[in-house]
Amino acid sequence: MAAKEDDVIRWSEETLSVAGAQLSMVRGGSGKPLLIFHDELGYPGWMTWNESLAHEHTLHIPLQPGFGKTPRLDWVRTYRDLAGFYSQVIRELKLDPVDAMGFSAGGFIAAEMAAADPRIFSRMVLSLRWDLSRRRARSRIFFRSRFESHLRATVADPAGTPEFAKLYGGEMTPAQFEAFEDARAETARIGWEPYMHDPALPYLLRGNKTPTLLLWGTGDTVVPRGCIDAYRQAIAGAQVGLIENVGHRPEIENSAEFERIVSRFLAA
């Protein structure tokens, strides 16, 4: 297990035999468990916000099946299937109920899990990059554009975001580009139809009372404010945290404000 030494958090990556699979998991920190689901591009690496939250929480970050580190699960055909798999993982690890955080597709997975079992999470933070409805469903630019172009579009000011250059290991090696293509192929396989949304999810979330924080950057040009409003209508009592003048990745664009809002919510 990761530990703290001289205020620097140790973290490790390990492979767990759980839920009938060999699941790669990044773990680090100390304190109350916090389960984190990465986005559709894969695990971006241990960033400043991870380091900060890990002083109060033990972070558990599963690396999604089919994204290189964890073998693909052929029986997982949809994001709802993937949510079911992760629910099995949580139960077998005896983590439930657990605080959870999801980014983009990871937030969508967490919402599917909460819809299936409202007691699985004690608190839920969704940094939203996917919507609930086809009307506002995310553009297919994720599949049409070059990776570098898509990644630049996710932050409001790449030059003014120091950690932007550190995402996914920094230098874009052939191996890293191959990992991105694996992630894009797996996202298409389980998220193409219906396209990157679930029309039933708003109805399945109806009446869900999981304390929920919805995060959105006011400069996000990828996902509109309507995405936040749809989740807020679906999840009873959901709070909204707006982070000014940042785009699609508030956790690195203004990590201090992101950490402040999230820590206050998790401590409530």
Side-chain angles (χ1 to χ4, degrees), residues 1-257:
M1 178 59 66
K4 182 166 62 175
E5 181 179 282
D6 297 330
D7 273 345
V8 175
I9 300 296
R10 293 180 183 174
W11 58 269
S12 63
E13 183 180 319
E14 55 193 291
T15 299
L16 308 178
S17 295
V18 63
Q22 297 296 302
L23 177 66
S24 292
M25 178 88 76
V26 173
R27 285 174 165 171
S30 61
K32 188 178 181 183
L34 176 60
L35 183 67
I36 298 174
F37 298 109
H38 63 68
D39 67 17
E40 62 275 8
L41 291 177
Y43 172 56
W46 189 269
M47 313 299 281
T48 296
W49 68 268
N50 297 97
E51 185 79 12
S52 177
L53 292 180
H55 283 89
E56 301 295 334
H57 304 271
T58 300
L59 308 189
H60 300 257
I61 311 173
L63 306 187
Q64 185 176 320
F67 278 47
K69 294 292 185 70
T70 300
R72 191 176 88 176
L73 300 176
D74 289 335
W75 66 266
V76 170
R77 301 278 184 153
T78 66
Y79 273 98
R80 188 174 294 178
D81 292 345
L82 183 57
F85 166 72
Y86 279 137
S87 296
Q88 292 178 358
V89 169
I90 291 174
R91 286 192 290 269
E92 290 190 19
L93 296 179
K94 299 186 179 351
L95 288 174
D96 58 322
V98 65
D99 291 340
M101 179 186 301
F103 296 88
S104 196
F108 184 68
I109 292 165
E112 289 277 11
M113 294 170 70
D117 182 359
R119 294 168 294 185
I120 199 165
F121 299 139
S122 46
R123 287 183 172 267
M124 182 167 63
V125 179
L126 305 181
S127 186
L128 293 169
R129 299 166 195 168
W130 280 29
D131 204 355
L132 287 172
S133 85
R134 182 179 295 273
R135 179 168 52 88
R136 289 185 296 267
R138 192 175 172 191
S139 166
R140 282 174 169 76
I141 190 173
F142 173 64
F143 295 106
R144 291 201 313 257
S145 63
R146 288 174 55 86
F147 169 75
E148 303 97 312
S149 300
H150 173 75
L151 190 59
R152 281 196 298 271
T154 63
V155 297
D157 180 14
T161 304
E163 286 198 302
F164 178 75
K166 299 179 183 179
L167 285 172
Y168 307 101
E171 183 181 357
M172 294 292 103
T173 64
Q176 184 58 68
F177 278 114
E178 184 176 349
F180 287 133
E181 290 310 312
D182 286 345
R184 186 144 50 179
E186 183 66 6
T187 298
R189 188 179 77 86
I190 67 174
W192 192 264
E193 185 57 44
Y195 181 75
M196 297 172 89
H197 78 291
D198 179 357
L201 188 55
Y203 305 97
L204 296 174
L205 284 169
R206 185 180 297 156
N208 190 295
K209 297 181 180 178
T210 302
T212 300
L213 173 65
L214 309 172
L215 290 174
W216 187 67
T218 61
D220 192 342
T221 60
V222 178
V223 167
R225 172 61 192 263
C227 174
I228 289 284
D229 297 334
Y231 275 92
R232 190 177 189 181
Q233 290 172 14
I235 302 174
Q239 302 175 35
V240 174
L242 299 181
I243 301 181
E244 298 291 336
N245 303 316
V246 302
H248 206 51
R249 294 180 179 271
E251 68 276 12
I252 67 165
E253 295 177 82
N254 189 343
S255 58
E257 181 65 4

